Amino acid sequence: MSLHYTVCPARVDAHVFEVTFTIGGRIEAGEALRFARWIPGSYLIRDFAKSVLRLDDAHGQPLLKTDSAGWQLPAADDALTLHLQVHARDASVRAAWLDRERGFFNGTSLFPYLPSRIDEPVTLDIQPPRHAEGADWTVATTLEAIEVDARGFGRYRAADFDELVDHPVEMGAMQHVHFQACGVPHEMVIAGGVPFDQARLRQDLTEICQAHIRFFGEPAPMPRYLFQTALVDVGYGGLEHRACTALMATREALPMPRLPGEQSIERSDEYLTFLGLCSHEYFHTWNVKRIKPARFIPYDFDRETPTRLLWFFEGITSYYDDLAMVRGGLIDRPGYLDLLAKILTRVQRGAGRHVQSVTASSRDAWTKFYKQDENAPNAIVSYYAKGALISLCLDAWMREASGGKRSLDDLMRDLWQRFCDTGDGLAEDEPERRVAALVGESVAERLSAVLEATGELPLVQALDTLGVSLSWRTRSGSDDAGTRAGERGAGRPWLGATLASAEGGVRLVQVANGGPAERAGLAPGDVVVGIGGYRVSKGTLDDWLARHAGQAQVAVHAFQRGRLVERSLAVEASPADTAVLRIVDERRADAWLAESRAESRAEFRAGARSDARVHPQA
């Protein structure tokens, strides 16, 4: 191999990876060397080069920098070796982290590349750490191993730069959970772990992964799969890759250990949320890592690549992540309706749905969705959440138009078969065109209309087609996210803001357009300290508002930019923006929520197996 990287977790207390990049072959003076400016799956220019501390040639001379992400290479007759030091203290799943307990990196954070040779194969040596605690470290990655030791340190290879950076690396003392899903080896590694019920986690992950594999049809598109999980005090998220996912969750997300003799434990809300994250990122193995926008083929790591299709890749994935869990029996139908009600409520409470369409949200991900500020709920709509609701509507429309013979499941399998046959990406209007081919132009036209529109979706009618009724109620308090538990206290007065605890009071985080707080002259960042002359906290604010129900106004005291002010707040019930779902037709609900899997058609299996692109690592 003429392109070779070596990475060493060299200075753990300084959080510094040392990287060596050896470039074989003749190099002309001035040839470009660059760092990726973004990572696929996270649509924001992150400029990973900002974490480079040094970039020198073999003689210790720094390279000439040309812009924020680029350098000029010196001339070389047959090979050039570069040395880098990269600071790694980004606790997210998108970049790199290094301390005494663990190391983690996405290749976009550590590895520069030559644009002229980005398609060439590469090798990577991963060296063990030098600190004492590192003796217990192992490596977890889905990169193809060439020669590694029992702990996983050694040499790996990738077909090109794209593949290199699509297999993140986790290092440290980890807990391991192994299982098989439809014959494919799977593993979850957990950094920062605590005691937990491994049998429960193994069983639940198996059900989720098998549900998705069977949904699209066997064989699975990867020879093995890895969940890389970092447990933290505060944080939540995931980033998909072609044969693995990097996850971040709190320690409370893992299932509690069973007591001696205890047969089973009810799944906690935190654990179900974590399973939903696993389901979401695993579904991406098909939807966005293989079925992807044509504009992403190939990835341009140097600039934004806008697409209108994030509503499809994130919205549809957000629709199926929880749906797979109810179809697989991990949650019951009332529990699933609770999760769906939360999504409905979240979208309904955002005034941004009147301002931005999901296709506009998709295109603006780089400048708006990934750069949210205090006014975000009033200005943008989530292509995840509203995209999931559009997916629900499309599912209902396809079932209705075909007399129950077609559904969104068929669209996803159709697109998967198309990928297996061609390997091509999706044109920007391809979902509508494939819908038209499956169930007719009228459904495709309805889909096009809601994708480009702002405002309300025809959710009552769509859910009725699926055997579910939708109604709306007022909130029971500032923490009411839209579950059945909040129905009993609905109708209490509201402030019209999201809240956070603050010293001496309650800080307003976001203020709803037209709500009582905004009309009273309160703004994000203000700290409310009293209502009706009495001190309040985050835990008591709802009760103090409720004590003044029936009055037109109440005095509110708050600190604005350090100055104590008194404002007059209207005492009024929240708008009816909290979803209530009920199954009203068991037969139609069964058709929707029952397990759905690809037919074992011989031609489908043969088509999937015949295309090596389905197994990019094989």
Side-chain angles (χ1 to χ4, degrees):
M1 297 285 184
S2 61
L3 298 177
H4 178 73
Y5 300 90
T6 299
V7 60
C8 178
R11 298 161 52 202
V12 294
D13 291 338
H15 320 290
V16 172
F17 281 105
E18 291 184 356
V19 180
T20 300
F21 183 25
T22 302
I23 306 166
R26 181 178 176 82
I27 298 171
E28 299 294 335
E31 187 170 348
L33 179 78
R34 301 198 64 77
F35 249 84
R37 303 189 67 211
W38 65 288
I39 182 170
S42 184
Y43 307 105
L44 176 68
I45 294 297
R46 299 188 181 276
D47 284 323
F48 294 110
K50 68 179 181 290
S51 296
V52 176
L53 303 176
R54 294 185 62 89
L55 177 48
D56 303 334
D57 64 18
H59 305 291
Q61 296 300 310
L63 270 60
L64 176 64
K65 198 164 189 182
T66 56
D67 59 29
S68 62
W71 292 260
Q72 284 185 355
L73 292 175
D77 291 332
D78 57 2
L80 178 66
T81 298
L82 306 175
H83 299 283
L84 300 84
Q85 294 181 355
V86 182
H87 187 254
R89 196 169 166 78
D90 184 327
S92 76
V93 296
R94 300 176 294 265
W97 175 271
L98 181 62
D99 63 12
R100 291 191 182 191
E101 279 68 50
R102 66 182 285 257
F104 171 81
F105 65 84
N106 289 286
T108 46
S109 296
L110 297 191
F111 304 138
Y113 66 94
L114 278 67
S116 62
R117 299 171 65 177
I118 197 170
D119 296 326
E120 290 187 17
V122 300
T123 52
L124 167 65
D125 282 350
I126 302 176
Q127 297 182 346
R130 299 166 184 167
H131 64 296
E133 295 89 342
D136 295 328
W137 281 28
T138 58
V139 174
T141 182
T142 47
L143 277 167
E144 181 184 359
I146 300 176
E147 186 177 354
V148 300
D149 64 19
R151 295 194 293 158
F153 292 102
R155 181 157 295 188
Y156 296 82
R157 66 182 167 196
D160 52 27
F161 183 77
D162 182 5
E163 183 174 317
L164 175 69
V165 301
D166 210 10
H167 297 273
V169 174
E170 180 77 41
M171 294 181 283
M174 297 171 280
Q175 294 171 283
H176 299 256
V177 178
H178 297 272
F179 61 98
Q180 295 266 332
C182 296
V184 177
H186 287 61
E187 181 182 9
M188 175 174 281
V189 296
I190 300 170
V194 294
F196 67 96
D197 187 342
Q198 291 201 18
R200 163 67 80 180
L201 181 60
R202 181 181 297 109
Q203 175 185 337
D204 291 343
L205 287 175
T206 301
E207 292 295 334
I208 289 170
C209 296
Q210 290 191 155
H212 287 313
I213 293 172
R214 290 167 177 167
F215 175 86
F216 284 101
E218 298 181 58
M222 64 288 180
R224 61 191 177 103
Y225 193 87
L226 174 67
F227 294 91
Q228 298 168 322
T229 305
L231 299 180
V232 294
D233 293 332
V234 179
Y236 173 82
L239 186 63
E240 68 276 2
H241 297 278
R242 67 182 67 185
C244 66
T245 180
L247 306 173
M248 179 175 64
T250 63
R251 296 172 183 88
E252 291 76 18
L254 292 183
M256 288 289 291
R258 303 184 196 189
L259 297 174
E262 193 171 18
Q263 296 301 312
S264 64
I265 301 176
E266 184 177 352
R267 298 177 182 92
S268 67
D269 289 344
E270 294 86 354
Y271 178 46
L272 285 175
T273 298
F274 178 64
L275 290 178
L277 175 64
C278 295
S279 179
H280 182 98
E281 302 304 335
Y282 194 75
F283 193 86
H284 274 316
T285 307
W286 292 264
N287 194 39
V288 89
K289 293 313 301 181
R290 288 165 176 85
I291 307 169
K292 66 178 65 174
R295 291 185 177 182
F296 287 179
I297 304 176
Y299 289 115
D300 185 343
F301 293 98
D302 203 38
R303 57 181 54 83
E304 298 170 0
T305 310
T307 172
R308 76 190 283 269
L309 290 175
L310 295 185
W311 74 267
F312 182 90
F313 292 103
E314 293 296 352
I316 282 183
T317 302
S318 296
Y319 177 61
Y320 277 109
D321 54 18
D322 290 335
L323 188 58
M325 292 205 296
V326 70
R327 286 177 170 177
L330 274 73
I331 53 177
D332 60 17
R333 293 181 180 184
Y336 172 68
L337 293 184
D338 257 6
L339 296 175
L340 181 57
K342 287 182 180 180
I343 298 175
L344 287 157
T345 299
R346 193 181 317 141
V347 174
Q348 190 70 16
R349 289 181 180 177
R353 73 187 191 283
H354 295 298
V355 177
Q356 189 184 53
S357 69
V358 289
T359 51
S361 179
S362 298
R363 294 189 186 97
D364 289 342
W366 304 83
T367 56
K368 292 188 177 181
F369 190 80
Y370 273 90
K371 292 183 178 181
Q372 294 188 30
D373 58 20
E374 62 192 28
N375 194 49
N378 300 318
I380 67 173
V381 69
S382 168
Y383 52 76
Y384 285 81
K386 190 174 181 182
L389 299 184
I390 289 175
S391 302
L392 182 148
C393 289
L394 178 57
D395 198 355
W397 298 339
M398 293 182 72
R399 293 171 189 270
E400 184 178 44
S402 65
K405 296 178 181 179
R406 297 283 192 183
S407 70
L408 187 62
D409 300 348
D410 295 286
L411 173 64
M412 297 310 298
R413 292 170 187 144
D414 176 75
L415 291 173
W416 175 238
Q417 182 66 64
R418 174 189 176 280
F419 171 81
C420 292
D421 291 341
T422 69
D424 293 339
L426 268 61
E428 293 294 285
D429 64 345
E430 189 119 16
E432 294 98 309
R433 290 194 280 114
R434 305 301 284 192
V435 166
L438 286 171
V439 293
E441 289 287 348
S442 62
V443 177
E445 290 171 359
R446 292 179 76 180
L447 175 60
S448 294
V450 298
L451 291 176
E452 303 297 338
T454 58
E456 312 301 350
L457 293 170
L459 290 163
V460 171
Q461 299 89 336
L463 283 161
D464 181 69
T465 299
L466 301 174
V468 176
S469 70
L470 167 63
S471 58
W472 299 95
R473 62 171 174 82
T474 56
R475 310 182 195 193
S476 62
S478 56
D479 292 331
D480 182 3
T483 63
R484 289 166 293 163
E487 295 179 30
R488 295 184 295 274
R492 304 179 83 193
W494 76 315
L495 187 62
T498 57
L499 311 176
S501 295
E503 185 177 357
V506 185
R507 182 169 58 87
L508 308 190
V509 179
Q510 295 166 327
V511 173
N513 273 359
E518 184 185 75
R519 301 201 314 271
L522 299 174
D526 291 356
V527 176
V528 174
V529 295
I531 292 178
Y534 290 89
R535 184 174 59 190
V536 296
S537 65
K538 187 174 182 293
T540 63
L541 184 143
D542 289 333
D543 289 339
W544 278 108
L545 279 177
R547 287 181 181 275
H548 295 85
Q551 299 181 17
Q553 306 281 332
V554 64
V556 173
H557 289 85
F559 281 99
Q560 286 188 331
R561 299 179 300 281
R563 176 173 172 263
L564 184 64
V565 298
E566 180 180 328
R567 298 287 185 254
S568 183
L569 181 82
V571 182
E572 58 190 36
S574 72
D577 59 7
T578 307
V580 178
L581 298 176
R582 299 276 190 275
I583 292 178
V584 293
D585 188 310
E586 294 286 349
R587 180 184 59 82
R588 281 179 284 164
D590 283 345
W592 172 42
L593 297 176
E595 182 181 8
S596 177
R597 63 176 70 187
E599 299 294 331
S600 56
R601 301 188 303 269
E603 65 271 20
F604 180 91
R605 295 199 307 271
R609 289 195 176 103
S610 66
D611 194 330
R613 281 170 298 204
V614 178
H615 289 283
Q617 290 183 327

